[in-house]
Amino acid sequence: MAHSEDTTNIVYGAPLERSIDVSLGELMLPLLKAHDEQVVQVDGETNEPLTAVKLMKRAIKLAKWYEKQGLRIGDSVSINSENRLEFCTVPIAAFFRGITFAPLNPDYTPRELNHVLNLSKPKVIFCSAKTVDKMISILPEHPHVNILVLFGKETRNHPKVIMFDHLMGDVDSEEVDEEFEATPLDIVNTVATILCSSGTTGMPKGVMCTHDNMAAFIDIGQIQFKEIVQSEDPDDALMGLVPFFHSFGFMLMFLNILRGKMMVVLGKFKPKVFLESIVKYKISRLIVPPPVLLFLLKHPMAKQYDLSCIKEMRSGAAPLGAELEKELKAKFNVEHVSQGYGMTETTLAVLATPHGKAKSGSCGVVVPGMMAKVIDDDGKALGKYQEGELCFKGPLIMKGYVGDPESTRNTIDADGWLHTGDVAYYDSDGYFFIVDRIKELIKYKAFQVAPAELEALLLTHNSIEDAAVIGLPDEMAGELPLAFVVKKPGAKLTEREVEKFIEDNVSPQKRLRGGVVFINEIPKNPTGKILRRVLREKAKNMKSKL
């Protein structure tokens, strides 16, 4: 007999009326037809445009090619490439036929690639010149991969490599196939994407999101991000800088095609190209990870450009400090600076800030149709202003981790709640504040010290460009807070000055008793999450040399 769940202290998002009951392919096809000659993407470096009708023709041709290769519902295809105009054709063609899209991080090592390919088992992998040789080298270990499709002009003489341009032929000048129809699917159970979780705490896991998960987010977006989705401004362009293999970048790219507006696609972060694109395409809203906003705020190059077109800054994928928010608002005179909260496992944002109603340091409120709670160590839901583990339930929660039922059970409990591993609390208005990762908390004696708090404080120092804090193992205290600090160019700053700055601003247990280390750059993953394991390794090596 199913037990009834206690609903005390559960925070509900606004009611959600579901309107999409078709597959992503069935949804996409008529929209691409309607957008027609509207430019949906433009290459930030070459200025090459991609119109909706061109994208539709290419995706239809590719979907037919998938069929010829024997790909069926439940099979998967991958991309191992930096952001580029060809990228979006691959998943849209897959959605037309119920094939799962499982992108890869182009920076994965062969070891990581072997791990994730064994999870998603793609039959076709699309590559760029940067990644193709790495993929060729591991092909013998993956007999399920039939073909590598290579983007661009560089060729490779290998029996399994074919060229994307050759595959497309003269499709751009051909007529649209009006007879083509997207395959109807069981949207609740058919997996649309297998995106890799960050893997900052170990090997990446393959997160299965269904067509229904993504359709739910589209329905939510109509309410939560109404001013973006329903914008009447034909020039309302977005920046496609976040990697498309990442859930944040992928969903942003996909949702932008649905709304039929332009996205400026950047293969990697080149400061000059990024700044020039903002000015050239009059980017009014930036939806980017915190390091990009930090760059705009602190880098001397940013001062050389008139960025007054920016009216809104939204952040995700990593924490944005309250001080940073205030500085951005003051410097750029923007109407709206906010951050959202989501995981690969929750399709996209499950906490978001209503437009014009940001609270400093908060990730916002629960999005429509979702539920949240904050629990203690015994699993009891806590009231407002009490810190505990953040959990979510509702239509955005993933189907599970591919090939890993144990991890799925450890993440989603018997009542369907996804346990995030993040410490948070909510206030009397239902706004949530992330305190830190449970796994990242520094245990100093009986105290728990949140690295994010110390990092946000360090970033307020005039001579500090960037910072990261980890726990240095210590026999007596358990762990000691240790700061890695990047100085601003030309800044004169000593370790003792940094320690003193923290001492003057925090309670005793939060002092940098592990010391301060100056480095050139804080290691981060492509979306701006600090790679703490890299820093822990660095600290361990330093300690062993003492």
Side-chain angles (χ1 to χ4, degrees):
M1 192 174 114
H3 67 284
S4 63
E5 197 185 338
D6 183 7
T7 57
T8 316
N9 293 330
I10 288 175
V11 184
Y12 293 85
L16 175 67
E17 207 169 305
R18 295 295 303 274
S19 63
I20 300 167
D21 57 1
V22 293
S23 75
L24 298 174
E26 291 171 292
L27 175 72
M28 198 109 211
L29 195 57
L31 282 172
L32 286 171
K33 279 181 183 168
H35 297 325
D36 198 25
E37 292 293 341
Q38 177 68 37
V39 174
V40 288
Q41 290 189 354
V42 64
D43 186 304
E45 291 210 61
T46 66
N47 300 315
E48 181 193 340
L50 175 66
T51 60
V53 69
K54 225 183 235 185
L55 172 55
M56 178 173 64
K57 287 179 187 177
R58 292 176 186 181
I60 289 172
K61 183 150 190 177
L62 190 56
K64 290 175 181 174
W65 182 80
Y66 288 157
E67 281 185 282
K68 281 189 195 141
Q69 299 308 308
L71 270 74
R72 300 285 177 264
I73 294 170
D75 287 335
S76 71
V77 296
S78 285
I79 292 188
N80 193 0
S81 168
E82 57 285 356
N83 291 3
R84 54 193 301 141
L85 292 192
E86 298 97 328
F87 197 112
C88 59
T89 308
V90 178
I92 290 169
F95 296 157
F96 282 161
R97 285 293 172 255
I99 293 160
T100 301
F101 176 61
L104 303 160
N105 180 341
D107 292 326
Y108 276 161
T109 61
R111 178 173 157 266
E112 290 166 319
L113 280 169
N114 283 326
H115 171 75
V116 294
L117 290 174
N118 283 328
L119 296 174
S120 55
K121 295 191 165 42
K123 294 192 171 175
V124 178
I125 302 176
F126 294 76
C127 313
S128 66
K130 176 186 167 182
T131 62
V132 67
D133 295 323
K134 191 162 43 175
M135 297 313 298
I136 289 169
S137 76
I138 62 169
L139 274 178
E141 292 160 72
H142 300 281
H144 53 80
V145 180
N146 300 328
I147 294 173
L148 297 180
V149 182
L150 180 55
F151 295 136
K153 303 291 176 226
E154 266 189 53
T155 58
R156 289 294 185 277
N157 187 15
H158 188 279
K160 280 197 172 184
V161 177
I162 64 167
M163 302 303 293
F164 180 79
D165 288 351
H166 176 73
L167 199 152
M168 287 290 105
D170 297 321
V171 69
D172 292 352
S173 54
E174 292 168 13
E175 290 298 310
V176 174
D177 178 357
E178 298 290 352
E179 302 294 303
F180 181 83
E181 288 182 355
T183 307
L185 303 167
D186 169 0
I187 68 168
V188 173
N189 291 304
T190 306
V191 176
T193 58
I194 299 175
L195 299 171
C196 288
S197 65
S198 302
T200 44
T201 51
M203 285 298 245
K205 296 183 184 77
V207 175
M208 297 184 287
C209 284
T210 64
H211 282 251
D212 188 58
N213 286 147
M214 288 175 65
F217 195 86
I218 297 163
D219 280 337
I220 288 165
Q222 300 280 359
I223 305 167
Q224 186 73 47
F225 306 105
K226 193 175 177 181
E227 71 290 342
I228 303 176
V229 176
Q230 297 175 15
S231 167
E232 295 295 325
D233 180 1
D235 300 321
D236 182 15
L238 291 179
M239 194 66 84
L241 173 65
V242 184
F244 293 161
F245 69 79
H246 185 277
S247 58
F248 182 20
F250 175 74
M251 286 297 287
L252 204 56
M253 178 264 285
F254 178 71
L255 296 167
N256 194 65
I257 292 169
L258 290 178
R259 76 182 194 129
K261 299 289 191 297
M262 190 193 291
M263 173 172 269
V264 183
V265 177
L266 298 175
K268 65 177 187 178
F269 184 67
K270 292 182 177 174
K272 192 168 181 288
V273 179
F274 172 67
L275 292 164
E276 283 172 356
S277 297
I278 291 176
V279 176
K280 181 173 183 177
Y281 296 103
K282 298 184 177 65
I283 303 286
S284 63
R285 51 178 126 245
L286 278 178
I287 307 174
V288 290
V292 179
L293 297 178
L294 195 62
F295 162 81
L296 287 175
L297 196 61
K298 310 245 177 180
H299 202 282
M301 194 188 284
K303 294 187 180 78
Q304 297 164 24
Y305 292 82
D306 176 8
L307 303 176
S308 58
C309 56
I310 302 171
K311 300 286 176 252
E312 184 181 331
M313 293 175 168
R314 288 180 183 264
S315 180
L320 179 73
E323 280 302 316
L324 198 55
E325 275 182 54
K326 284 178 199 155
E327 285 181 61
L328 286 163
K329 217 164 183 178
K331 181 172 179 179
F332 294 101
N333 194 26
V334 287
E335 299 153 15
H336 184 91
V337 177
S338 71
Q339 57 185 321
Y341 173 91
M343 306 166 72
T344 311
E345 291 85 343
T346 63
T347 310
L348 195 56
V350 275
L351 297 175
T353 303
H355 191 263
K357 295 180 181 173
K359 276 195 184 190
S360 190
S362 170
C363 289
V365 298
V366 182
V367 299
M370 291 296 289
M371 297 180 268
K373 64 180 178 180
V374 170
I375 60 169
D376 64 13
D377 292 345
D378 300 320
K380 181 173 165 284
L382 302 168
K384 50 196 177 211
Y385 299 105
Q386 293 183 66
E387 291 180 7
E389 186 181 8
L390 183 57
C391 303
F392 291 99
K393 185 177 179 177
L396 295 179
I397 302 302
M398 66 169 177
K399 186 175 184 177
Y401 295 116
V402 64
D404 196 346
E406 188 187 346
S407 289
T408 304
R409 280 193 301 273
N410 290 339
T411 305
I412 303 173
D413 67 26
D415 292 316
W417 285 94
L418 182 136
H419 294 243
T420 65
D422 282 318
V423 181
Y425 69 88
Y426 58 93
D427 69 9
S428 49
D429 297 320
Y431 277 71
F432 281 74
F433 296 78
I434 307 297
V435 180
D436 221 318
R437 289 284 302 159
I438 286 174
K439 298 178 189 72
E440 286 172 4
L441 288 172
I442 297 164
K443 310 290 191 315
Y444 172 73
K445 296 188 176 172
F447 298 101
Q448 291 188 328
V449 179
E453 181 192 350
L454 295 177
E455 286 155 6
L457 181 57
L458 286 165
L459 288 178
T460 65
H461 194 289
N462 292 334
S463 299
I464 293 176
E465 184 82 47
D466 206 356
V469 176
I470 60 157
L472 184 69
D474 180 79
E475 216 173 344
M476 298 295 288
E479 286 178 308
L480 303 173
L482 162 69
F484 287 90
V485 170
V486 179
K487 286 191 257 192
K488 279 189 184 170
K492 288 180 168 57
L493 186 67
T494 66
E495 288 90 342
R496 183 65 202 122
E497 282 170 337
V498 177
E499 288 170 6
K500 179 84 169 63
F501 175 71
I502 292 292
E503 268 172 38
D504 292 346
N505 288 284
V506 299
S507 48
Q509 72 271 17
K510 296 176 185 176
R511 290 177 184 167
L512 298 174
R513 296 171 198 276
V516 173
V517 178
F518 290 121
I519 53 173
N520 295 329
E521 191 182 27
I522 301 294
K524 292 177 183 176
N525 79 358
T527 59
K529 277 201 179 101
I530 295 167
L531 296 173
R532 295 184 196 277
R533 59 191 157 87
V534 175
L535 292 174
R536 281 192 196 102
E537 202 57 40
K538 197 177 177 75
K540 205 165 84 181
N541 292 341
M542 281 163 30
K543 205 175 178 190
S544 64
K545 285 173 188 168
L546 292 176

